[in-house]
Amino acid sequence: MVTLTEDVEASSSSSRTTYDHRYDVFLSFRGADTRLNFTNYLYNALVNADLTTFLDDEEIPTGEFLKPELESAIKASRASVIVLSENYASSTWCLDELVLILEQKKKSNHIVIPVFYHIEPTHVRKQQLSFGRAMEKHKLKMEAETNEEERRRLAEKMEIWKNALTQVSNLKGKDVKGRMEKEFIEEIVNDIYSRLGGPLGIITLPQLIGMKYHIERISSWLKDGSQHTADILTICGMGGIGKTSLANYLYELHRHEYTRCSFVGDISRRCAENQGMLDLQKQLYGDISRRNLIRVHNVFGYTSMISKALAREKVLVILDDIDSVDQLDELLGDKGFHPGSKIIITTRDASLTESCALFNPQVQPNHRRVLLYGLSETKSLELLCIHAFKSLKPKEGYNEVSEKLVKCCDGHPLAIQVLGKALRNREDVDEWEYYIESLKKEPHSRINKALKMSFDSLPFKNEKELFKHIACFFVGIDKDLTETILNACDINTRFGIPTLVDRCLLSIESNKLMMHQLVQEMGRDLVRQESPDKPWERSRLCCPKESFKVLEQEKGTGNILGIALDMRMLEKEKLHGSIELKTEALNKMDSLRLLQLNYVQIKGSYKYISKELRWMCMHGFNSKSIPSELPMENLVVLDMSHSNIESFDISYSKSHGFMNRLKGLTGSSSKHKPLLGSLKILVLSFCEQLCSLGGFYELPSLERLVISNCTNLIHVCESIKHCVELVFIDLSNCKKLKTLPRTIGMLKKVKTILSNGCDLSVFPVETRDMDSLQTVEADNIAINSQTPSSACLEVIQRDLIRSFISCLPLPLVHLSLKNNNLSNKSFPMDFSSLSMLKELYLDGNPIDSMPSCVRTLPRLQILNMSYCKMLKTIEHPPSSLRELQIAGVGDRLRVMKFNPEMSPLSLNVVPGKRFNVIEGMIEVQPLANVEDEVLCNLGWANFELIKYQHLTFLNTLKEKERFRIQMYYEFGIFSTFYEGKEMPNWISCRSKGPSISFTIPPSPNNLRGFNFCYVTDKLSYLDGGFDLPSIRFSNRTTEFSWTYRHFICGQIVVDECLIFLSHWMFGKNEMEDGDQITISVENKAYKADSIRECGVGLVYDDGTVKDVLGYYKSWNHIIGGDLYYFQSTTYGEYKLDHYLFMGRLHIIPKYIDIQICDSTLGLV
């Protein structure tokens, strides 16, 4: 039997209890030495500084135990000052206090300041002179003790005291030698005050609504123990979004954990003042160095001093509201920081931090970024109610108006706070309605000022004009479409859009340009201020009422660059006069480039409309054809969706009626400039009267053709071959379209053809190889895609699959064969011709395994086989795969096998009841089916009764269901959990609470692994279900650690107490005799005191048991194998988390209930 040596210093013998702080400082001292002088003066100085200080007036006789109230006071204090005087060690009471103080320091952020009062630190460290004499007296007393048990107890205490004296002497302390006591005491008080961040009760942290996630995330970063020389976090967001509030909260929450700290606020404003940067540098340098007397008169000198100060000590620095790279360079320098320091920067420009001088090859900062968005509607309403009603809910009768106001603010915290305070004690609901209506007309000045700072900081006119264009016309519009339009308007979008994104003025979601509602209103207000009372003199018109008024009164001017009007946005009853407008209203707009008139009834000639027009969008256009006199030579986007157009044919060579209307523009010459020579995007969607489409000779620059849902379209002209730049064609739901042009296959740049919903009875395609023309005819073939940026073909009839695939374009990136009734036999043996393919969708097909041809795709990244109900196995997909989707596959899927070199991937699987193995990642099987030889190798003895137990779970209907106990294997770790209160008797080393520490004893046998076990009380779930707690296994000797997060999640177990047992396959390469080990359970899923006990047992290979774990050891991503993808940023630390390997894995234990396992495959 192996005996483990428990490490007293690191072991936790009981579960840690968190005490509420009642004192700022605990004073430990020898009363006979300093009670009436130094300690008394120090106590008064601390009290005068408003620091709540515990000082015990009663002297405890030597030999008596420490009073319980003193022990409680130490645990309830934030800091301790230990006055080490000549006779300190002669008091066992003082020595017990010292031990307890050092234990508290180890357990929490308890601050300890030793004061060497007329003694040398080395005398304490080596127990010399008075300290040596005192320890000798304690030793004589111990040796004189006649009770053996008491003598052993005193001997153990002696060792603990000696260790404590050595530890405290090694701490950075204060030495009174050669100092004036008054100044010395002031220094101690100032140091404590600074490190505590102020006294208890003085600083009340603000209530931050909706910030819990960010607080927890950043707090975790602040406590991660990183020793990087430049650890920086940037908090980005628009003005008023809560950056400063969050940073200030975190500063007050964590400042006491750092030797020095500084919060430099409002930097942007203060820098604009006279000698503003010098004042900022003086504050920062003073905070982190405590040397305010030094006078420096130039920025460069201060930067050098700050750099040196940052390198000396662990600091927490927050730089609030940075708006230029120069500010960062002058405040932080370029040399890096002391290991363990943290720098937090708040800014409206996300690009600034990584542009500063710190980001150089010598420093290589570790940088993270947090982007703040608006609050949810629920949290917004809560914040509004706090400021308006001083409660968490609206007053009676104010629910509806409160919700309206919240929607106006769109989750912006400053806006909600300002308006909430403005409306506090306003008893009239109508006044709230007045505020809401006013906000729709113009933004609140204070809110607008905060938002406008980001706009004002834009460096060039290009970005400012781009911002105003987007705010007025393109919010919610496709990014590529917008870029095409604005680039033609001489606006640089390639660099402009990323700049707006960095300044938090713009975001991109699903390739659409998005703006916060208040930011968009700020942009529109900038245009409004160009001419507040005369909208026709502005550069842009986007307010429906103002646009209608200008057009109705024909007041257009040359100032107008763009105008938008959607008649559906206006209420007809509020309009005066006719709702039919005249084209003459546009004639004076000589600079007009952007025209959007949706569902507008307009008549007249288009002859004099600006030739500068780049974008024309006229949804619901009434005419049956494009106006012949419309200047179209500079148009880049024409969108006539939902119109009454019957034919679109601009071919000059055909004698259509439309050409007769255009001959005045083209003349009779056979050589002419194409009528739409600049047009890149043509959109005619939902034109239900459109029958034919032709004249593509006139569209040589066309890149995107969108004609979806034209239900009467029957013909697309062969002249489409002249659109040599065409990359995207959308013919979706053109149900009467029977054939596609034969020449469509000659277009060398086409990547996407959408023909979903078309009934194509014949599909002839001329191939791109003009020297060897081939035609593929396929009945009922449709082409479809969900992603315009990649080639996507969807084949419906399975008999044509092989011949069809042979004709697919080689650059194909995205192939979808969803719901095509394809069996495994339908697929070719080889897909290698599609060497560029990255995405393959086989959803809803009756395949029973992954088709073999999938393995021949060298660049495949996404494979989707969801809802393939016949699917049984997935074996060896390409190693390039990054995402595997197999949701809804039913009960047949049992095994998945991956190649050893497989990189981590995102796996979405909700398997049926008989699923049991993801080879190379996870294996699950009933404990009853595990071979006895395997259990014996694990050291799991006497498991006969436990193997056949059941656990009771609550299902989604809150009904009880019993399921057999399972054994899980991943990362080289076997685990199970079952009902019980007592750990197995072969768990030899035990500890109360959630952690245990020990030293590996010497042994002649090879170490095979560790069994770690812990017992929980009846679980009190914090979030309705439980995730198995993470287990952290640390080798303190080698400084390696492994944190294992089990994949079981979201379950509710009914049973009273649970025992969690795991076996870790460590060997001699990871663990050696004499290594100091700590194993701890992180139980965030339920209450802190739910872990009753934990224990560990070592398993050795003594030669009597045959090793049958070879199969499990052959897996790649296990301890001792390839854990490269699971390394954290800290060297030697590994996160064994299935979410890193399988981003969306969903495997629920109650779905896994295998009845009989095949001995070789693990199948039923």
Side-chain angles (χ1 to χ4, degrees), residues 378-642:
T378 301
K379 293 299 180 182
S380 296
L381 183 61
E382 190 176 320
L383 182 60
L384 175 67
C385 292
I386 286 173
H387 291 291
F389 307 116
K390 296 184 178 180
S391 69
L392 296 177
K393 295 182 180 180
K395 285 171 57 177
E396 186 176 351
Y398 284 78
N399 288 62
E400 184 177 347
V401 74
S402 295
E403 290 174 0
K404 284 183 181 179
L405 193 63
V406 162
K407 283 184 170 61
C408 286
C409 295
D410 196 17
H412 192 272
L414 177 63
I416 296 167
Q417 178 181 333
V418 168
L419 296 176
K421 289 180 177 179
L423 291 168
R424 185 183 297 169
N425 300 323
R426 304 297 175 102
E427 301 296 334
D428 192 346
V429 174
D430 290 339
E431 191 166 0
W432 282 60
E433 294 284 3
Y434 165 75
Y435 256 81
I436 294 170
E437 290 303 315
S438 298
L439 287 172
K440 292 179 180 178
K441 296 177 182 178
E442 60 178 317
H444 190 284
S445 58
R446 182 181 169 191
I447 301 167
N448 203 48
K449 182 180 178 182
L451 296 172
K452 190 172 176 290
M453 292 175 70
S454 294
F455 175 83
D456 290 338
S457 69
L458 292 172
F460 302 112
K461 180 181 178 181
N462 178 81
E463 281 72 25
K464 294 182 178 181
E465 293 301 304
L466 172 62
F467 172 73
K468 289 188 279 190
H469 272 313
I470 295 174
C472 290
F473 304 117
F474 298 108
V475 173
I477 303 300
D478 180 76
K479 172 176 171 285
D480 298 333
L481 174 67
T482 305
E483 288 179 338
T484 300
I485 296 169
L486 295 182
N487 286 340
C489 297
D490 300 321
I491 297 290
N492 187 314
T493 60
R494 179 183 176 188
F495 302 111
I497 287 179
T499 298
L500 297 183
V501 172
D502 285 339
R503 301 298 169 99
C504 304
L505 292 170
L506 185 69
S507 61
I508 300 173
E509 301 173 18
S510 301
N511 209 47
K512 291 185 178 181
L513 300 179
M514 306 301 293
M515 268 185 194
H516 189 279
Q517 181 177 311
L518 295 179
V519 173
Q520 181 182 15
E521 185 52 43
M522 180 267 290
R524 293 184 171 189
D525 186 64
L526 290 170
V527 175
R528 190 182 298 118
Q529 295 308 315
E530 294 173 355
S531 178
D533 302 321
K534 298 178 180 180
W536 51 88
E537 294 185 359
R538 301 174 195 159
S539 60
R540 301 160 182 85
L541 291 171
C542 56
C543 172
K545 289 183 180 180
E546 292 176 336
S547 296
F548 181 81
K549 182 178 179 181
V550 169
L551 291 173
E552 184 185 39
Q553 298 177 2
E554 300 183 17
K555 288 190 174 183
T557 67
N559 292 340
I560 299 175
L561 300 175
I563 183 170
L565 172 60
D566 189 331
M567 291 299 293
R568 295 173 303 177
M569 304 296 291
L570 295 174
E571 298 177 10
K572 291 182 181 181
E573 62 269 21
K574 293 186 178 180
L575 299 177
H576 301 284
S578 172
I579 61 172
E580 186 175 74
L581 302 175
K582 298 179 180 179
T583 56
E584 285 80 357
L586 302 171
N587 292 351
K588 295 180 182 179
M589 302 181 189
D590 300 332
S591 303
L592 188 66
R593 294 189 171 196
L594 310 173
L595 177 63
Q596 184 182 43
L597 299 178
N598 289 343
Y599 304 97
V600 175
Q601 294 186 33
I602 189 168
K603 65 178 182 179
S605 172
Y606 291 84
K607 182 176 182 180
Y608 297 105
I609 288 182
S610 171
K611 294 182 179 180
E612 298 297 318
L613 206 59
R614 301 297 193 272
W615 174 47
M616 184 173 181
C617 178
M618 301 184 72
H619 291 183
F621 187 65
N622 278 333
S623 297
K624 296 182 179 180
S625 60
I626 304 294
S628 60
E629 68 277 13
L630 180 68
M632 296 184 287
E633 55 267 31
N634 291 316
L635 270 180
V636 292
V637 176
L638 178 61
D639 184 353
M640 308 294 284
S641 300
H642 298 276

Side-chain angles (χ1 to χ4, degrees), residues 1035-1077:
N1035 186 328
R1036 304 200 322 272
T1037 303
T1038 62
E1039 297 185 349
F1040 275 71
S1041 68
W1042 299 263
T1043 301
Y1044 170 47
R1045 181 185 178 191
H1046 206 287
F1047 70 85
I1048 295 299
C1049 61
Q1051 299 305 296
I1052 298 179
V1053 182
V1054 178
D1055 301 281
E1056 286 289 325
C1057 294
L1058 293 179
I1059 294 177
F1060 296 78
L1061 176 63
S1062 59
H1063 177 90
W1064 299 58
M1065 285 200 305
F1066 285 113
K1068 285 290 185 181
N1069 292 332
E1070 294 82 29
M1071 303 288 167
E1072 294 183 354
D1073 297 348
D1075 285 356
Q1076 293 181 322
I1077 309 299

